[in-house]
């Protein structure tokens, strides 16, 4: 399992070139590693030890009863969660079956699917990153040309700066589609995290959307008046009904009480995921709003470049933003995140000078 987790870490780690924003990397690196680790933990718990232990009689072998109840699910009785433990019921949700109609039973069917679900969720979180890596096509890595290393020979530095500058001048205003693809991936990341909250809510029969809030409320209530929402969604003790033929050929019914130790792990995993997805969704929504503001406001682009890259003169930044488009701004910003700051300052200064001269010359020709 450790080797598999190391492989996922190596697969999702950020390389030397940053091609996306920090919030976007939370989706494709941290969240993927967390989900895969949780999936591996659940699978390990299922196959090492007993994920379910049922109290059995001599008439039914222990292995048969455990396997049957694990495969065919167990159930609790929601009304029994509010009875007094040790007096009316032995454990929350466990009561006399004959005291309740069949429609009042809540069947627990999800536990054998949790490992697979977490694994699929990890794949879905990595999908926007995979899409962007294919669309980005190694453009930033090709443009950097090892200019992130400030200590290189002056001849090599001059040649590479010239090549980068020529590319930026020749392809100015041609990067909009490239940038919009990245923004689409950020929107997909937001849709994914929101969609996964509703997916898990469906998976847990409509109990997940308010799971974290219910846990916080549970901690504030008096002990006598509260029902632990973690036990309600992830019961640790359930019931199972097993039928078999008796010695006379009649159908015999055996009621068993089952302990689900795996749910102690599951409840901790999903209470963490609830808060993690909530924080991730808020951050990603803020990031999408931030992108919309950048698209609509050239003045904001100037301000962000001035704040992030203080070595570049303000008049150079204004010139560059004035004569370029949104996609160029995004490319400049990402290059600044990767290239040595002094080299990037020189390139931007020369670019502003060339663009200003070219546009000025065109303006004079137009007037003439």
């Amino acid at each position: 399992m450790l080797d598999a987790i190391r492989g996922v870490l190596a697969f999702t780690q950020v390389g030397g070139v940053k091609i996306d924003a920090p919030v976007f990397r939370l989706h494709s690196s941290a969240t993927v590693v967390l989900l895969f680790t949780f999936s591996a933990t659940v699978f390990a718990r299922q196959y090492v030890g007993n994920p379910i232990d049922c109290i059995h009689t001599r008439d039914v072998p222990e292995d048969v009863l455990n396997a049957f109840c694990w495969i065919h699910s167990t159930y609790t009785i929601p009304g029994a969660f509010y009875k007094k433990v040790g007096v009316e019921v032995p454990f929350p949700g466990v009561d006399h079956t004959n005291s309740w109609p069949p429609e009042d039973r809540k069947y627990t069917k999800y536990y054998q699917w949790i490992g697979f679900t977490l694994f699929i969720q990890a794949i879905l979180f990595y999908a926007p990153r995979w899409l962007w890596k294919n669309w980005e096509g190694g453009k930033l890595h090709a443009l950097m040309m090892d200019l992130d290393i400030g200590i290189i020979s002056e001849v090599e530095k001059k040649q590479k700066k010239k090549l980068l500058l020529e590319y930026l001048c020749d392809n100015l205003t041609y990067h909009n589609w490239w940038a919009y693809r990245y923004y689409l991936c950020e929107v997909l990341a937001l849709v994914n995290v929101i969609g996964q909250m509703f997916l898990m809510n469906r998976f847990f029969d409509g109990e997940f959307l308010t799971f974290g809030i219910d846990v916080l409320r549970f901690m504030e209530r008096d002990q006598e008046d509260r029902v632990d929402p973690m036990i309600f969604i992830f019961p640790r003790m359930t019931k199972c009904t097993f039928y078999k033929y008796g010695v006379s050929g009649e159908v015999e019914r055996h009621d068993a009480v089952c302990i689900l130790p795996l749910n102690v792990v599951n409840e901790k995993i999903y209470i963490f995921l609830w808060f993690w997805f909530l924080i991730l969704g808020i951050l990603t929504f803020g990031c999408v709003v931030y992108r919309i503001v950048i698209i609509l406001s050239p003045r904001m682009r100037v301000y962000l470049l001035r704040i992030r890259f203080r070595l570049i003169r303000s008049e150079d930044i204004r010139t560059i933003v004035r004569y370029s488009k949104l996609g160029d701004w995004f490319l400049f910003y990402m290059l600044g995140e990767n290239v040595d700051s002094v080299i990037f300052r020189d390139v931007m200064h020369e670019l502003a000078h060339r663009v200003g001269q070219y546009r000025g010359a065109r303006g004079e020709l137009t007037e003439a």
Side-chain angles (χ1 to χ4, degrees):
M1 185 178 75
L2 291 176
D3 291 338
I5 293 173
R6 290 192 194 100
V8 174
L9 285 170
F11 181 71
T12 58
Q13 69 181 358
V14 179
V17 182
K18 298 176 183 177
I19 63 172
D20 44 28
V23 174
F24 190 73
R25 288 196 291 273
L26 285 177
H27 288 259
S28 59
S29 56
T31 308
V32 171
V33 172
L34 282 172
L35 289 169
F36 187 83
T37 303
F38 292 153
S39 176
T41 302
V42 171
F43 277 128
R45 290 283 296 173
Q46 285 184 5
Y47 296 108
V48 178
N50 293 328
I52 186 170
D53 288 303
C54 297
I55 300 175
H56 63 288
T57 63
R58 294 180 180 178
D59 297 331
V60 183
E62 178 182 2
D63 294 342
V64 173
L65 186 61
N66 287 344
F68 175 84
C69 294
W70 175 258
I71 294 171
H72 293 279
S73 75
T74 59
Y75 66 90
T76 53
I77 300 172
F81 280 96
Y82 301 93
K83 292 189 175 183
K84 192 170 183 180
V85 178
V87 178
E88 299 175 282
V89 293
F91 196 81
V94 178
D95 199 359
H96 295 290
T97 305
N98 296 331
S99 303
W100 302 87
E103 57 270 17
D104 285 348
R105 300 177 186 178
K106 179 186 177 185
Y107 284 88
T108 307
K109 304 175 182 179
Y110 58 80
Y111 42 70
Q112 57 264 63
W113 298 105
I114 282 183
F116 297 102
T117 303
L118 290 168
F119 184 78
I120 293 172
Q121 286 181 271
I123 294 174
L124 291 175
F125 267 98
Y126 190 76
R129 162 78 175 186
W130 175 85
L131 192 61
W132 170 236
K133 283 182 69 175
N134 283 274
W135 279 343
E136 195 269 340
K139 180 187 288 290
L140 286 170
H141 184 268
L143 291 175
M144 280 175 57
M145 296 178 288
D146 295 328
L147 289 175
D148 55 327
I149 305 172
I151 306 175
I152 56 177
S153 66
E154 287 298 323
V155 175
E156 183 181 0
K157 184 189 298 184
K158 186 176 180 180
Q159 290 176 344
K160 291 181 177 179
K161 285 166 60 176
K162 182 180 178 182
L163 289 173
L164 176 59
L165 185 60
E166 288 178 354
Y167 172 84
L168 294 178
C169 289
D170 293 341
N171 294 276
L172 199 66
T173 72
Y174 290 107
H175 298 101
N176 269 3
W177 182 234
W178 184 75
Y180 280 123
R181 283 177 169 179
Y182 173 72
Y183 296 165
L184 174 62
C185 289
E186 286 192 329
V187 173
L188 290 177
L190 176 62
V191 171
N192 176 66
V193 70
I194 294 174
Q196 293 224 22
M197 290 287 285
F198 284 96
L199 173 67
M200 287 189 288
N201 188 61
R202 181 68 179 270
F203 189 61
F204 293 116
D205 296 326
E207 302 286 346
F208 187 76
L209 283 182
T210 59
F211 184 39
I213 299 173
D214 293 339
V215 171
L216 293 177
R217 288 176 178 171
F218 165 76
M219 296 171 64
E220 296 175 353
R221 292 177 183 169
D222 295 333
Q223 188 172 359
E224 295 79 9
D225 302 328
R226 61 186 186 178
V227 176
D228 190 346
M230 290 194 287
I231 295 180
F232 190 81
I233 300 178
F234 302 98
R236 300 166 191 172
M237 183 176 289
T238 57
K239 296 197 71 175
C240 176
T241 304
F242 181 81
Y243 296 94
K244 76 178 190 69
Y245 284 109
V247 293
S248 63
E250 296 294 329
V251 176
E252 294 182 354
R253 170 180 169 174
H254 297 268
D255 277 334
V257 176
C258 299
I259 300 173
L260 298 173
L262 187 60
N263 269 353
V264 177
V265 178
N266 291 336
E267 67 183 23
K268 305 303 186 297
I269 288 174
Y270 279 97
I271 189 61
F272 175 83
L273 288 180
W274 191 91
F275 286 104
W276 178 258
F277 283 7
L278 179 65
I279 294 171
L280 196 61
I282 293 172
L283 290 175
T284 311
F285 178 77
C287 190
V288 170
V289 173
Y290 162 76
R291 297 297 180 193
I292 294 173
V293 172
I294 290 173
I295 292 172
L296 299 177
S297 174
R299 185 175 297 179
M300 180 60 68
R301 298 176 216 162
V302 173
Y303 175 76
L304 290 172
L305 286 177
R306 287 177 59 187
I307 292 297
R308 180 63 184 84
F309 308 109
R310 296 184 179 274
L311 294 179
I312 306 175
R313 293 182 300 191
S314 299
E315 55 269 23
D316 291 341
I317 292 176
R318 285 194 292 268
T319 301
I320 290 170
V321 172
R322 179 182 177 185
Y323 295 117
S324 62
K325 293 186 177 180
L326 173 67
D328 304 303
W329 178 90
F330 179 67
L331 179 62
F332 299 150
Y333 197 94
M334 296 309 298
L335 280 173
E337 292 285 326
N338 291 281
V339 175
D340 177 75
S341 57
V342 176
I343 295 175
F344 183 66
R345 178 202 63 190
D346 296 340
V347 171
M348 290 294 101
H349 171 69
E350 184 62 29
L351 178 65
H353 178 69
R354 288 195 184 185
V355 168
Q357 274 191 335
Y358 176 72
R359 299 296 180 180
R362 286 193 63 183
E364 291 176 1
L365 289 173
T366 302
E367 291 176 2

